[in-house]
Amino acid sequence: MAKKKNKQTYECIVFIVEGDADELIIRKLIDYYKQHGWKPTQSIQIKNVHGFPTEHRINQKLTEITQINSDKNVKFTTVCCEFDTDVFTIKQQFDEPNWNKIEETLKNQYGLDQFCLVRASSSIEDWMLDDLDGLLKALKLSPKTKPQGTTGQEKVSSLFRRRNIKYDRAKRKDLIGTYIKNLDIERIHDSRKKELSSLEKALGIAQNLK
């Protein structure tokens, strides 16, 4: 009788993000961490759920990864959920989930090592506006141009409208990526250290960025 082969272990870090703008920023952030000495041995998966990362959506993406790699022992070393906080504060669409309970459930179900959150306050567009100079330059607008609106999303949308471009944060990666790729991620990072602290601790990169 032939011996069963031991399954290869597939270790991965998973980022669950809200939309295309979020995905583009997180990808730039990962590159920034690598430039500062982060050398992950695990595979990095960025999963865009095109909406708030509910427990159901997180489960869907982790199950998807497990099924795709069914011939391996999948090990989730870190799962990070990124989301805008305006859904709880400005928009007040719903109450914030019990993340401690979700973390406990995910650890029991998938055996993940670490679970962390990146709370983009109040939205990922506010992060983009941390490098307003870079965004104006990418859009070929005057450095004196003032964004219009009260929320980050309204302000960013107003700048894109000046170039006759409809800003769609959720499903226009091919279009908005042309402009987001030119943002200064170091400036954004330095403006959002508090919001990124849990992630950087989980990734073991915090000491490289002091």
Side-chain angles (χ1 to χ4, degrees), residues 22-32 46 173:
D22 310 73
E23 179 181 343
L24 291 163
I25 294 291
I26 290 296
R27 287 189 184 280
K28 284 180 68 66
L29 191 63
I30 290 170
D31 289 341
Y32 175 75
I46 301 177
K173 181 166 55 179

Side-chain angles (χ1 to χ4, degrees), residues 160-174:
F160 274 77
R161 278 198 303 273
R162 287 176 175 267
R163 299 291 295 154
N164 294 317
I165 301 169
K166 182 180 179 182
Y167 175 75
D168 186 341
R169 68 196 307 270
K171 297 179 180 179
R172 292 302 304 274
K173 181 166 55 179
D174 57 330

